[in-house]
Amino acid sequence: MAGYFKDIWLGVSTVLIGMHITFKHWFKFKKAVTIQYPHEILEMNERTRAHLFNVADECAVCLQCARACPVDIIDMQGIRADKDEDLGLLPTGKPKRMHLIKFDIDFSKCVYCGLCVEVCDTKSLHWRAPVEPCTFTREEMYKSFATIPPDEVERLIAFDAERKVKKAEEMAAKKAAAAAAKAAKAAKAKAEAEAKPAEAGADAPKAAKSDVGEEKKETPAASDTPEKPGTPDSPDAPENTPKPEPDKS
Amino acid sequence: MGLIEGRFEPNIIVTSTDAIFNWARSRSIWPLTFGLACCAIEMMATNASRFDLDRFGIFPRPTPRQSDCLLISGTVTAKMGERLVTLYEQMSEPRYVISMGSCANSGGPYCDHGYHVIKGVDQILPVDVYIPGCPPRPEALIDGFLKLRDLIMKETIAKPSA
Amino acid sequence: MTWLDLLIAVACVAGVLGFISVVALVAIWTERKISAHIHDRLGPMETGGFHGWAQTIADMVKLLQKEDIIPDAADKPLFKLAPYIVLSATIASFVVLPFGAHLIGTDLNIGIYYLVAISSLEVAGILMAGWASNNKWALFGGMRSASQMISFEIPIGLSLLIPIMIVGSLSMQDLVGAQAGGFWNWGVFSHLPFAMIAFIVYFWASLAEVNRTPFDLPEGESELVAGFHVEYSGMRFAMFFLAEFANMFLVAGVAVALFLGGWHAPFSFLEISAESNVILHNLVGFFWFASKGMVLLFIQQWLRWTLPRLRVDQLMHVCWKIFLPFSFVNVLIVSLWIVLTQS
């Protein structure tokens, strides 16, 4: 009977304690913690991963970010500037040598891991404060950060192709020259080899001996797999050796 | 629904009805209490005291019959996709779908190698608003709801001008 | 029946309906605001400007134009009928609630008896909704609702017997009239502490009667998706919603009428006598009745956001093992008291 009344008393008193606590919150003895977002904006930390942005003028087009990206969503392309072209200095102090003609990020796939920002040497790719804007379509989330206008991009591509052609021609010329030199060298070597044919005949038995040694090594593996030609009749045996090795271990 | 939609020319009565209906719909978006993955944690955080979605009249309803908005918060696996479609079909018109986070938008980290993940929830449901982020911050989710609000404000019950 | 009677009846129903709607709208808004402030949040802020005052209006307009889904497997006539039964039971109960000296639908001589009887009709509606939905969660919700409402009728009835015995009448106006002249004459403070215990038992049991937390098992979101109204959408759901909040005011109104002086002010100088101005007398009475009812409504909401939901066995324990013996002993002692003092 005492337990019964004690239970009731416990119930009533704990309800009153609870009501006291909620009452304190209700009447603002503790202030509301709500941030009324569109009207007041919570200040984010410097490293908050909210909104990815790339400054095209500061980008060295080193492709480090595209390599670091775990979901391969950074689609970037650069064109080497002409030797006498001045593109300004990068934040690292070195001169900018590449035109950034394409830097697209598909934010619908981005996992906001920040690996691309970690590896960025020039810090041109960085986090910004406001959150990524929402969109009505998936295509809108595909964003481009390259600032070069399209006609300029076309000009650069044409220039690059021209340069490549030029370079290829140069290379071809170089190659032809090198080939000519090689041919001359080879002719010279042939003449030398023909001069002493006896030496090659003396080396042949040594090579045959080493082949036999390898064959012996193979035999345990060969017995496991009899259908396999374990004892090759040709002296090309060393080519087969990598295959039985996993069986042994 | 279906009794008054697409039957009248856009005259003054229809447009003022539109104004009231759209105001009411956009100010009272009740999402379904439904979480899939880590974005759901962020959704709960947005519903909680700090960001308080209730300020916009957005408060979760447990049953799809009474909710207006399906908030897809997280990775949609092929198995869960069927359930999602069922839930969407159980909802009453007008209904909206918000795709929250990279996994729901396009498969996110699973877009290339996830054999079990639907590569974008728009393959199975008509998505109204996409929220990028992994997971999106509460601010981004609020932005998404505000964007959905803008979308609802453009609706009309008038006959579409053919 | 003359035309005038009919007109008065229609005006009465219209007034009650309007009052119910306004109370429900205000109560839903305050509920959201109170819950928000208890959570250190702000609650509705955007809709309609000042602190989201238009939030519930937007909700209601939206619910009005939502698609009305009737499941294929549902028992269609019952499914359609259920919300009307719940809402009309609530409205019918309001008829005998004394808002003022003359602001009463009809002053039946068995007013309180009628009220208890009619408000139990709601169980039928809820059970009907749960059954007709052809959904296991809805059926569970409806069953739980029926069991708890029927069990809690008993402590409620026994607690209401105390003021009835003290006053010696079943008419609502007689019950209110006996409490005139200052708050020390109110029902709660007569036959101390027994009427007080009756009031507390009534108030707690009434929470179970209207399915409020901590006794909101019929709609427990975590177990039964939304309880008996899981399959209802649009306007039919809005009717359940409206009935729930109107019922909250109804039980608060009964508590006010029987225990807290009804439309009488806490001090008699705050009232305007019926002889000087009848209309003003009624309006002031209405003000006191409504504000006392709202205070009890706030306490209901305050309790809701303080306490977690009970288990079914705990609920039944509270009803049969605590409320019932207390109200029985209460009735015995008060009747003895009355017999001894009257002879």
Side-chain angles (χ1 to χ4, degrees):
Chain A
M1 202 62 196
Y4 174 78
F5 283 107
K6 210 179 159 190
D7 269 1
I8 291 170
W9 169 244
L10 204 66
V12 171
S13 61
T14 46
V15 165
L16 288 178
I17 289 168
M19 286 176 80
H20 177 66
I21 291 169
T22 42
F23 187 81
K24 278 198 288 190
H25 286 264
W26 182 3
F27 284 105
K28 290 292 161 58
F29 294 110
K30 292 205 169 105
K31 241 187 126 214
V33 295
T34 306
I35 291 156
Q36 302 201 42
Y37 164 60
H39 310 302
E40 49 178 315
I41 289 167
L42 178 69
E43 210 167 286
M44 291 185 191
N45 290 330
E46 205 179 318
R47 286 154 59 95
T48 306
R49 302 197 293 243
H51 178 189
L52 206 54
F53 196 86
N54 188 27
V55 185
D57 285 343
E58 294 177 2
C59 181
V61 202
C62 57
L63 300 177
Q64 285 294 331
C65 48
R67 278 193 206 113
C69 184
V71 277
D72 292 338
I73 53 162
I74 301 181
D75 186 3
M76 70 189 296
Q77 204 179 336
I79 283 179
R80 184 169 293 283
D82 214 15
K83 265 174 195 161
D84 47 348
E85 214 169 343
D86 183 27
L87 291 179
L89 288 175
L90 293 170
T92 46
K94 291 176 189 156
K96 183 173 163 70
R97 295 304 306 145
M98 298 280 274
H99 288 287
L100 182 66
I101 60 165
K102 192 179 184 191
F103 192 96
D104 294 352
I105 297 182
D106 184 0
F107 281 107
S108 71
K109 290 179 185 171
C110 181
V111 293
Y112 294 79
C113 58
L115 288 177
C116 48
V117 174
E118 293 280 314
V119 298
C120 188
D121 214 17
T122 61
K123 301 289 164 226
S124 70
L125 191 63
H126 60 276
W127 296 111
R128 285 196 170 176
V131 288
E132 204 75 54
C134 311
T135 59
F136 291 134
T137 60
R138 237 166 102 169
E139 287 71 40
E140 282 171 68
M141 277 186 279
Y142 201 80
K143 277 178 200 151
S144 182
F145 294 102
T147 49
I148 300 174
D151 50 339
E152 178 73 4
V153 168
E154 271 170 34
R155 194 192 65 77
L156 278 169
I157 289 172
F159 165 75
D160 192 49
E162 205 176 285
R163 193 169 54 185
K164 262 186 191 152
V165 168
K166 228 186 252 171
K167 210 171 183 182
E169 277 169 8
E170 268 172 35
M171 285 295 280
K174 243 185 207 171
K175 227 180 189 173
K182 217 178 178 181
K185 219 180 182 179
K188 207 179 173 185
K190 212 179 183 183
E192 266 174 29
E194 274 170 8
K196 14 180 162 171
E199 264 177 56
D203 280 343
K206 263 186 200 170
K209 252 183 195 173
S210 70
D211 280 355
V212 170
E214 298 240 351
E215 268 173 351
K216 271 181 185 168
K217 232 187 212 171
E218 263 178 83
T219 37
S223 64
D224 286 343
T225 52
E227 69 275 6
K228 251 188 183 175
T231 48
D233 40 7
S234 71
D236 308 348
E239 271 184 28
N240 288 340
T241 41
K243 273 180 194 169
E245 255 172 27
D247 291 12
K248 268 185 220 167
S249 58
Chain B
M1 288 325 292
L3 287 174
I4 50 174
E5 261 103 346
R7 292 179 63 176
F8 308 106
E9 299 296 330
N11 54 31
I12 186 158
I13 299 169
V14 168
T15 46
S16 34
T17 316
D18 267 349
I20 296 169
F21 277 15
N22 290 345
W23 173 79
R25 275 178 197 173
S26 62
R27 262 65 184 176
S28 159
I29 304 167
W30 293 355
L32 184 63
T33 317
F34 180 69
L36 282 171
C38 24
C39 286
I41 307 293
E42 211 69 11
M43 177 189 79
M44 293 168 210
T46 318
N47 273 308
S49 302
R50 197 60 180 272
F51 288 95
D52 191 13
L53 272 180
D54 202 13
R55 283 184 294 124
F56 305 96
I58 298 162
F59 92 118
R61 288 297 308 171
T63 157
R65 300 275 188 227
Q66 293 149 20
S67 45
D68 312 294
C69 168
L70 183 58
L71 184 63
I72 298 155
S73 50
T75 320
V76 185
T77 54
K79 205 170 180 180
M80 189 47 105
E82 293 168 27
R83 275 78 177 165
L84 261 182
V85 173
T86 311
L87 280 175
Y88 179 73
E89 281 165 355
Q90 282 175 343
M91 283 163 68
S92 50
E93 293 276 2
R95 51 195 171 180
Y96 308 95
V97 178
I98 293 182
S99 161
M100 179 188 182
S102 290
C103 293
N105 288 343
S106 70
Y110 310 101
C111 62
D112 291 333
H113 308 297
Y115 62 94
H116 60 301
V117 173
I118 289 173
K119 312 291 190 300
V121 79
D122 49 2
Q123 292 181 4
I124 51 170
L125 294 176
V127 178
D128 291 300
V129 174
Y130 296 87
I131 307 172
C134 188
R137 283 185 64 85
E139 286 100 329
L141 183 55
I142 293 173
D143 278 349
F145 274 113
L146 295 183
K147 197 116 182 167
L148 181 62
R149 208 158 93 168
D150 296 346
L151 189 78
I152 295 170
M153 287 310 275
K154 285 179 200 143
E155 282 180 351
T156 177
I157 57 165
K159 206 187 273 181
S161 52
Chain C
M1 198 177 187
T2 61
W3 280 107
L4 196 66
D5 286 342
L6 200 67
L7 212 67
I8 289 170
V10 168
C12 232
V13 171
V16 164
L17 255 176
F19 181 75
I20 287 175
S21 314
V22 170
V23 160
L25 289 180
V26 172
I28 294 168
W29 181 76
T30 53
E31 166 112 46
R32 290 175 80 163
K33 284 307 251 190
I34 287 171
S35 78
H37 283 282
I38 284 176
H39 296 159
D40 291 344
R41 296 188 284 131
L42 289 169
M45 289 295 283
E46 306 285 320
T47 315
F50 176 76
H51 282 261
W53 64 270
Q55 185 57 57
T56 27
I57 298 172
D59 285 344
M60 282 298 152
V61 173
K62 185 208 72 178
L63 282 173
L64 258 171
Q65 36 136 348
K66 284 284 278 183
E67 186 186 5
D68 181 26
I69 294 179
I70 299 167
D72 257 0
D75 190 339
K76 289 185 183 70
L78 286 186
F79 189 85
K80 289 177 188 163
L81 195 60
Y84 300 118
I85 288 188
V86 172
L87 192 62
S88 47
T90 310
I91 293 171
S93 316
F94 268 87
V95 167
V96 290
L97 214 56
F99 291 102
H102 301 94
L103 283 174
I104 180 165
T106 168
D107 187 16
L108 289 177
N109 55 356
I110 50 160
I112 186 70
Y113 182 73
Y114 164 86
L115 198 145
V116 170
I118 286 290
S119 62
S120 321
L121 200 65
E122 210 190 320
V123 185
I126 286 175
L127 204 53
M128 210 181 256
W131 170 259
S133 297
N134 203 357
N135 178 312
K136 57 187 166 193
W137 310 123
L139 186 59
F140 275 142
M143 284 301 180
R144 281 187 185 185
S145 187
S147 74
Q148 86 178 46
M149 283 167 104
I150 291 169
S151 355
F152 276 85
E153 291 276 299
I154 299 162
I156 284 181
L158 288 172
S159 314
L160 291 180
L161 266 182
I162 309 267
I164 292 167
M165 284 194 301
I166 293 166
V167 176
S169 167
L170 284 167
S171 151
M172 292 299 264
Q173 285 297 28
D174 287 355
L175 285 162
V176 174
Q179 304 174 51
F183 69 88
W184 50 90
N185 286 340
W186 288 1
V188 202
F189 302 112
S190 67
H191 297 69
L192 274 172
F194 301 107
M196 184 78 95
I197 290 172
F199 171 66
I200 290 167
V201 168
Y202 170 75
F203 188 71
W204 274 87
S206 71
L207 287 182
E209 177 82 5
V210 296
N211 300 330
R212 295 286 298 176
T213 322
F215 306 121
D216 69 337
L217 296 152
E219 32 192 300
E221 286 93 351
S222 45
E223 315 134 56
L224 319 173
V225 178
F228 57 86
H229 55 63
V230 67
E231 293 285 356
Y232 283 88
S233 64
M235 204 51 218
R236 290 179 209 278
F237 165 66
M239 275 183 199
F240 279 122
F241 216 47
L242 197 69
E244 185 190 330
F245 280 87
N247 254 320
M248 277 169 66
F249 189 83
L250 179 71
V251 294
V254 173
V256 168
L258 265 66
F259 293 102
L260 296 177
W263 41 266
H264 290 297
F267 298 99
S268 43
F269 61 83
L270 290 171
E271 283 181 58
I272 289 160
S273 67
E275 288 82 43
S276 59
N277 192 335
V278 177
I279 294 170
L280 220 57
H281 173 70
N282 273 304
L283 282 181
V284 171
F286 177 75
F287 166 76
W288 284 112
F289 186 85
S291 43
K292 283 181 210 167
M294 281 318 251
V295 167
L296 284 188
L297 209 68
F298 285 153
I299 294 173
Q300 287 177 348
Q301 292 171 350
W302 179 13
L303 271 167
R304 169 166 186 181
W305 295 103
T306 302
L307 300 175
R309 187 177 299 131
L310 296 185
R311 282 199 318 265
V312 181
D313 62 320
Q314 289 169 332
L315 178 90
M316 289 301 156
H317 175 91
V318 167
C319 177
W320 295 108
K321 289 190 177 169
I322 294 171
F323 286 170
L324 197 61
F326 265 73
S327 33
F328 255 129
V329 172
N330 229 359
V331 168
L332 279 177
I333 293 173
V334 172
S335 43
L336 256 178
W337 185 328
I338 290 166
V339 167
L340 289 178
T341 47
Q342 272 179 352
S343 58

